[in-house]
Amino acid sequence: MTLSTTRYFIELAYDGTSFHGWQIQPNAVSVQELLDRALSTCFRTPVQTTGCGRTDTGVHATRFFAHFDLPESIGRAEQQVHAVNALLPYQIGVKRIFAVQADAHARFDATSRTYHYFIHTRKDPFRHQRSWLLRDELNLAAMNEAASRLFHHTDFSCFSKSNTQTFTNNCRISEAVFTALPDNGLQFTISADRFLRNMVRAIVGTLADVGRAKLSADAFDQIIESRNRSNAGQSVPACGLYLVNITYPYVNEWQQ
């Protein structure tokens, strides 16, 4: 006899500095491992979460979703946010838990994802491991001109980590722009239907070369067309990267 279950989404945020990414690793501490353990302890039943994606070692998330199932006999799960948080380290914070339809999927139902990447240009102890310190002068207009070329392409093999088991390297980018921050920094915002492993950090590294006048916008185009990772720029440090939003097709208030 199969027990009836209820599917829940959980919204959380985490500082990724101390973790080896989201996904459970055999010999390293991950966000998913600690979350699953906390949920299993709180609800007194084994819980396995499925995340909206995977973040690499050192990458942060201000808005991350996962789903999990609980037996229907366990009620009032939505009210256990404080109890779950009490079982988690301070670097992980659960915002809410809410029931969804039985076939809702945190990863496969997501229609877009948005990342921010932060760069600061002066030494700042409060940005250590939170942003990339880059002392070079950057041409913001040139970087944004090159970033706009991303909209003309779908195959981003040149920005993908090699030897990944992906079905396709095609992505549709809907937003890519640098904005100046008032405190000697830059914020890069990028949104797409999906991202390849290491993709955002490789894009930022290549656009930084444009900002330092090492590459032109046309050369940036040619790098994308080459589909060759060795032609693109460095992968910038993980500390500046934040997953900030996931969009789902459900027209429900819980997304707000």
Side-chain angles (χ1 to χ4, degrees), residues 154-158 160 164 166-171 194 196:
T154 55
D155 188 330
F156 294 103
S157 299
C158 69
S160 175
T164 58
T166 56
F167 178 74
T168 175
N169 285 340
N170 288 355
C171 311
R194 63 189 293 268
L196 309 174

Side-chain angles (χ1 to χ4, degrees), residues 12-27:
L12 61 146
Y14 54 84
D15 174 349
T17 305
S18 303
F19 304 117
H20 289 257
W22 155 261
Q23 190 167 328
I24 289 177
Q25 305 291 327
N27 298 305

Side-chain angles (χ1 to χ4, degrees), residues 127-184:
R127 292 187 181 184
H128 179 59
Q129 295 186 324
R130 303 291 183 276
S131 174
W132 178 32
L133 174 59
L134 181 63
R135 293 185 174 89
D136 298 332
E137 263 193 51
L138 297 174
N139 185 325
L140 185 62
M143 293 164 70
N144 277 330
E145 164 59 24
S148 70
R149 307 291 181 94
L150 292 166
F151 305 137
H152 306 155
H153 302 273
T154 55
D155 188 330
F156 294 103
S157 299
C158 69
F159 298 128
S160 175
K161 191 171 184 177
S162 58
N163 301 319
T164 58
Q165 297 177 343
T166 56
F167 178 74
T168 175
N169 285 340
N170 288 355
C171 311
R172 294 193 177 276
I173 294 177
S174 55
E175 182 180 19
V177 63
F178 282 93
T179 52
L181 300 176
D183 48 357
N184 302 301

Side-chain angles (χ1 to χ4, degrees), residues 55-160:
T55 55
D56 290 334
T57 299
V59 175
H60 317 292
T62 60
R63 196 180 200 200
F64 191 97
F65 288 100
H67 76 252
F68 62 94
D69 296 327
L70 288 177
E72 282 188 354
S73 58
I74 300 177
R76 305 174 65 169
E78 295 90 343
Q79 299 180 26
Q80 299 305 315
V81 170
H82 292 301
V84 176
N85 274 328
L87 296 166
L88 289 167
Y90 71 90
Q91 298 99 328
I92 305 172
V94 173
K95 298 180 180 181
R96 52 191 174 142
I97 300 170
F98 50 95
V100 293
Q101 58 267 36
D103 62 347
H105 199 287
R107 179 184 173 190
F108 296 139
D109 288 355
T111 56
S112 73
R113 296 162 172 81
T114 300
Y115 284 89
H116 286 165
Y117 192 89
F118 292 97
I119 300 171
H120 60 292
T121 56
R122 294 182 184 175
K123 185 177 180 181
D124 183 341
F126 297 104
R127 292 187 181 184
H128 179 59
Q129 295 186 324
R130 303 291 183 276
S131 174
W132 178 32
L133 174 59
L134 181 63
R135 293 185 174 89
D136 298 332
E137 263 193 51
L138 297 174
N139 185 325
L140 185 62
M143 293 164 70
N144 277 330
E145 164 59 24
S148 70
R149 307 291 181 94
L150 292 166
F151 305 137
H152 306 155
H153 302 273
T154 55
D155 188 330
F156 294 103
S157 299
C158 69
F159 298 128
S160 175

Side-chain angles (χ1 to χ4, degrees), residues 187-201:
Q187 174 185 297
F188 180 58
T189 302
I190 185 166
S191 300
D193 59 347
R194 63 189 293 268
F195 287 94
L196 309 174
R197 284 199 66 188
N198 208 54
M199 178 174 166
V200 178
R201 292 161 61 194

